[in-house]
Amino acid sequence: MATTSTTGSTLLQPLSNAVQLPIDQVNFVVCQVFALLAAIWFRTYLHSSKTSSFIRHVVATLLGLYLALFCFGWYALHFLVQSGISYCIMIIIGVENMHKYCFVFALGYLTVCQITRVYIFDYGQYSADFSGPMMIITQKITSLACEIHDGMFRKDEELTPSQRGLAVRRMPSLLEYLSYNCNFMGILAGPLCSYKDYITFIEGRSYHVTQSGEHGKEEIQYEKTEPSPNMAVIQKLLVCGLSLLFHLTVSKTLPVEYNIDEHFQATASWPTKVIYLYVSLLAARPKYYFAWTLADAINNAAGFGFRGYDKNGAARWDLISNLRIQQIEMSTSFKMFLDNWNIQTALWLKRVCYERTSSSPTIQTFILSAIWHGVYPGYYLTFLTGVVMTLAARAVRNNFRHHFIEPPQLKLLYDVITWIATQIAISYTVVPFVLLSIKPSFMFYSSWYYSLHSAGILVLLLLPVKKTQRGKNTHENVQLSRSKKFDERGNSLGQNSFSTTNNVCNQNQELASRHSSLKQ
């Protein structure tokens, strides 16, 4: 019997008992299914062409708060308290420094909630909890504060192209702010989106296309036929179904905890240990695939997530997608894995921390990532190990890859070897993230004799590392050149250009640079 307690509604307890799953997980899945149906209704009956943006904001917010109450009970008040106080800070402090105060308050409030939940209430309960949505709201609060600071205080020439495109030029109303933070499409599982993209969606400007006039001196806006998200939603729901099926069947038979089982460690051969490590961590990923892909499908079903058209004229619905499963599973480097895992969080780290720090941006970004994720010691062990693994992988790549480009057979051999090495290293790195606690994490690493830690440090000591001093000016020049190149291409294709982040090039541009430094 699934008897775990919940802070939310117990209405679905019979269903929880029937499927042998904790009630909070059942509440989460049912609420997300409800959100999917609500998204279809929202797009059909509250389309921007049929009703005002005010009504859309009100309905999106009220539905979001209802789902939060159903899942988390009165703990959902934390969402309103965090958002409300942050809004007051923005109004009172002013645009010059509000991004700093909002950052400290939102992250501090999240950390206090995480500490009380983990160390006072339910240590080790790795299930749905109210701090999960607060992590997304914290991202939104800090992102928007920085975007308002950029748009209303800083000069345009001081901004990178990405910052210029995301900059918010007016203070949002309280309703707009709450709608952005607590709308039903993203309150339970996100993902993070930019404020400008969200407002553009609510106001129905997602399909406005800009073209130059006859003499290239004026811009003409017209509305293009709205593409249907149905196919994208169906495809993502199929991925959700397969991920959920895999999680409920295979994942339970391959627990990560078995890696530290004394009998297994004493009797299994090294090849068996390596294979089980990889397979058990592979089996742990589908629950993330399910949650993030379902969240993406919900937004798409409401009409949000359109990112222009590709070179073949096909609509792209991946504006706020949080992962690319094929690239994750076929990664041949740490960077490739990180570039395709939890994409929106990596972009957030880059935008609010890495681009805005003048000293040791990599270290400060790593610290922010660790604090934001939570207070379990296993998270910090994973991030520290990830630093060593990423730097070592970069050193190996810089020193050896150019020798294996030609012929194609040699390149294929290199890709196979680096795929195996990457998958083992990733699995080795994230075991503490799953185990959570210090003792079992050290039990695992000691059973492997800290072999990959030692190998990584040895690589860094023996191989020359190219010091890429990426100063701010150099970074911005690279972004400017890329931006111009992609803008020209976008204009020639007549792509959708309702906002900078909806230009097909923009997210690719950010992905190309962010994880050379991020050690998430």
Side-chain angles (χ1 to χ4, degrees), residues 90 94-100 142-156 158-159 163 166-171 356:
M90 291 200 308
V95 295
E96 182 177 359
N97 293 307
M98 68 174 186
H99 62 303
K100 299 177 182 177
T142 52
S143 293
L144 179 54
C146 288
E147 290 160 6
I148 294 173
H149 173 73
D150 291 342
M152 298 181 66
F153 180 75
R154 298 175 68 189
K155 297 178 181 178
D156 274 2
E158 298 174 351
L159 306 176
Q163 291 171 344
L166 294 169
V168 176
R169 308 291 177 178
R170 69 170 180 85
M171 190 70 69
R356 298 176 189 275

Side-chain angles (χ1 to χ4, degrees), residues 207 224-232 235-236 300 305-319 495-496 504:
Y207 312 102
K224 200 165 184 176
T225 304
E226 180 177 336
S228 171
N230 293 343
M231 187 55 66
Q235 290 173 347
K236 290 173 183 179
N300 291 170
F306 176 64
R307 190 161 66 95
Y309 299 88
D310 62 19
K311 61 183 179 181
N312 298 318
R316 301 185 64 175
W317 288 91
D318 57 351
L319 174 66
Q495 288 181 325
N496 177 293
V504 175

Side-chain angles (χ1 to χ4, degrees), residues 207-228:
Y207 312 102
H208 288 181
V209 176
T210 302
Q211 281 192 343
S212 299
E214 293 182 4
H215 304 291
K217 295 182 179 179
E218 59 182 29
E219 290 186 341
I220 302 172
Q221 279 201 351
Y222 67 94
E223 189 166 342
K224 200 165 184 176
T225 304
E226 180 177 336
S228 171

Side-chain angles (χ1 to χ4, degrees), residues 324 327-328 330-343 346 386 389-395 397-398 401 418 422-423 425-426 470 482 507-520:
R324 301 183 185 93
Q327 287 86 335
I328 288 170
M330 299 305 294
S331 294
T332 56
S333 69
F334 243 73
K335 180 182 183 300
M336 183 177 176
F337 185 96
L338 296 174
D339 280 350
N340 295 286
W341 175 271
N342 209 352
I343 295 169
M389 296 295 105
T390 306
L391 292 177
R394 185 187 303 168
R397 181 181 178 86
N398 289 340
R401 186 176 184 274
T418 53
T422 297
Q423 297 302 323
I426 287 287
R470 298 196 336 163
R482 286 177 178 163
Q507 199 171 35
N508 290 335
Q509 168 191 326
E510 290 189 302
L511 290 174
S513 62
R514 76 181 191 273
H515 261 307
S516 60
S517 60
L518 293 183
K519 309 296 187 298
Q520 190 180 340

Side-chain angles (χ1 to χ4, degrees), residues 112-154:
V112 170
C113 288
Q114 288 173 327
I115 290 173
T116 56
R117 184 189 69 81
V118 169
Y119 291 105
I120 297 178
F121 296 112
D122 58 350
Y123 189 94
Q125 292 296 314
Y126 203 66
S127 58
D129 68 88
F130 72 94
S131 67
M134 284 188 68
M135 293 169 72
I136 306 297
I137 293 175
T138 299
Q139 289 182 333
K140 291 182 176 181
I141 289 171
T142 52
S143 293
L144 179 54
C146 288
E147 290 160 6
I148 294 173
H149 173 73
D150 291 342
M152 298 181 66
F153 180 75
R154 298 175 68 189

Side-chain angles (χ1 to χ4, degrees), residues 486-503:
F486 279 113
D487 284 344
E488 291 169 2
R489 187 184 304 171
N491 290 336
S492 67
L493 292 173
Q495 288 181 325
N496 177 293
S497 58
F498 67 86
S499 77
T500 300
T501 49
N502 276 16
N503 188 307

